[in-house]
């Protein structure tokens, strides 16, 4: 206990955080893990329940409906006609979704988060994948659980996201002969900076920056809140904040990387790595 009681931090009980709708939700985004035949029947049952029994507007990805098992199902045809479809990186649905339902594992939730670079609607994640740190719902009684969320009778778990800005310097090689440029000036540097490309993302739990298809090592300067943390030359860099649960390590597993202990805001070169009823609300 601190000597000055005014400086004591009071942490709200997570069980007291409740989902409250300003008005009844009308639209829901259903995210299904692609190329997983075991999720076809749960996906169809959920969509029938949402459209026919709850009269919800259901958004699904266009590529989900291109699955032959769904496209060729005549019995599912009347339900498909009611869907609103969108394409990733083409259509903006950020202001049209009241809440999200994920069918899959933690990687599916990670993907759902990436679709919303601003505020994220409440996420209801069913555990139908290999990892379930962030997917607490069981699909066996999905009707009653979805109804509770629609009625606002659900607890909330708040999870923060990282704001990541990637600044890439563009350089071009000059044509030289015997160390002399075309204009006759002696060349001290064969590369010249011509501009910068800035990309900004909201990411859940971790960020991995790699060199992509380039065969050369990358020079990466890592900053946190404007302060330089480290400079790394290698094939990439991964970083994540410390989290008070095992959920802080799930991103490495779903991304194909091993578990790492992150004791604070940290970044680790990739070459140093070794193989070793709640609704989620993602905040910016």
């Amino acid at each position: 206990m601190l000597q000055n009681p005014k400086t004591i931090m009071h942490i709200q009980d997570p069980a007291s955080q409740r989902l409250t709708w300003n008005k009844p939700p009308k639209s829901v985004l259903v995210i299904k893990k692609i190329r997983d035949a075991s999720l076809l029947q749960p996906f169809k049952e959920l969509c029938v329940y949402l459209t026919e029994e709850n009269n919800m507007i259901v958004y699904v990805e266009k590529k989900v409906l291109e699955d032959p098992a769904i496209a060729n199902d005549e019995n599912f045809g009347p339900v498909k006609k009611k869907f609103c479809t969108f394409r990733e990186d083409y259509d903006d649905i950020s202001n049209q979704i009241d809440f999200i339902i994920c069918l899959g594992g933690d990687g599916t939730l990670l993907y759902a988060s990436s679709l919303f670079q601003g505020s994220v609607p409440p996420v209801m994640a069913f555990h139908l994948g290999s990892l379930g740190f962030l997917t607490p719902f069981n699909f066996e009684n999905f009707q009653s659980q979805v109804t509770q969320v629609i009625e606002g009778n659900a607890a909330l778990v708040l999870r923060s996201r990282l704001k990541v800005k990637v600044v890439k310097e563009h350089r071009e090689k000059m044509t030289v002969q015997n160390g002399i440029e075309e204009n006759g000036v002696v060349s001290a540097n064969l590369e010249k900076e011509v501009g910068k490309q800035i990309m900004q993302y909201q990411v859940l739990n971790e960020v991995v920056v790699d060199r992509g298809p380039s065969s050369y090592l990358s020079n990466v300067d890592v900053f946190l809140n404007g302060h330089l943390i480290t400079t790394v030359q290698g094939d990439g860099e991964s970083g994540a904040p410390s989290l008070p649960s095992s959920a802080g390590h799930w991103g490495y597993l779903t991304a194909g990387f091993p578990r790492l202990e992150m004791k604070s805001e940290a970044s680790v070169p990739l070459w140093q790595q070794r193989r070793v009823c709640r609704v989620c609300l993602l905040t910016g």
Side-chain angles (χ1 to χ4, degrees), residues 77-93:
V79 178
K80 289 189 297 182
K81 294 180 180 180
K82 300 179 182 180
F83 288 159
C84 294
T85 60
F86 72 98
R87 295 174 299 170
E88 180 188 3
D89 297 331
Y90 285 92
D91 302 314
D92 183 12
I93 60 172

Side-chain angles (χ1 to χ4, degrees), residues 26-32 43 46-47 50 56-62 64 84-86 93-94 96-103 111-113 115-116 120-124:
K26 294 296 183 182
S27 60
V28 56
L29 169 62
V30 178
I31 298 292
K32 184 186 80 69
F43 172 75
L46 174 63
C47 291
L50 291 171
M56 300 283 293
I57 300 174
V58 177
Y59 284 78
V60 298
E61 290 183 278
K62 189 174 182 179
V64 171
C84 294
T85 60
F86 72 98
I93 60 172
S94 57
Q96 304 175 42
I97 305 299
D98 291 326
F99 71 102
I100 306 170
I101 297 179
C102 292
L103 302 178
Y111 173 69
S113 170
L115 296 176
F116 295 84
V120 186
V123 182
M124 183 180 189

Side-chain angles (χ1 to χ4, degrees), residues 7-131:
T7 62
I8 297 177
M9 179 183 296
H10 297 279
I11 301 176
Q12 186 179 12
D13 182 2
S16 65
Q17 297 173 350
R18 310 296 299 181
L19 175 63
T20 302
W21 300 107
N22 293 328
K23 58 182 180 179
K26 294 296 183 182
S27 60
V28 56
L29 169 62
V30 178
I31 298 292
K32 184 186 80 69
K33 185 178 179 181
I34 304 297
R35 294 184 296 275
D36 191 335
S38 65
L39 297 182
L40 291 175
Q41 190 59 33
F43 172 75
K44 294 177 181 179
E45 293 179 6
L46 174 63
C47 291
V48 170
Y49 178 75
L50 291 171
T51 56
E52 297 186 356
E53 298 191 33
N54 288 278
N55 198 28
M56 300 283 293
I57 300 174
V58 177
Y59 284 78
V60 298
E61 290 183 278
K62 189 174 182 179
K63 60 184 178 181
V64 171
L65 301 183
E66 294 173 352
D67 189 323
I70 296 178
N72 300 328
D73 189 346
E74 297 181 356
N75 296 328
F76 195 60
V79 178
K80 289 189 297 182
K81 294 180 180 180
K82 300 179 182 180
F83 288 159
C84 294
T85 60
F86 72 98
R87 295 174 299 170
E88 180 188 3
D89 297 331
Y90 285 92
D91 302 314
D92 183 12
I93 60 172
S94 57
N95 295 323
Q96 304 175 42
I97 305 299
D98 291 326
F99 71 102
I100 306 170
I101 297 179
C102 292
L103 302 178
D106 289 342
T108 307
L109 178 58
L110 178 68
Y111 173 69
S113 170
S114 69
L115 296 176
F116 295 84
Q117 288 302 297
S119 60
V120 186
V123 182
M124 183 180 189
F126 286 97
H127 185 194
L128 294 169
S130 55
L131 292 176

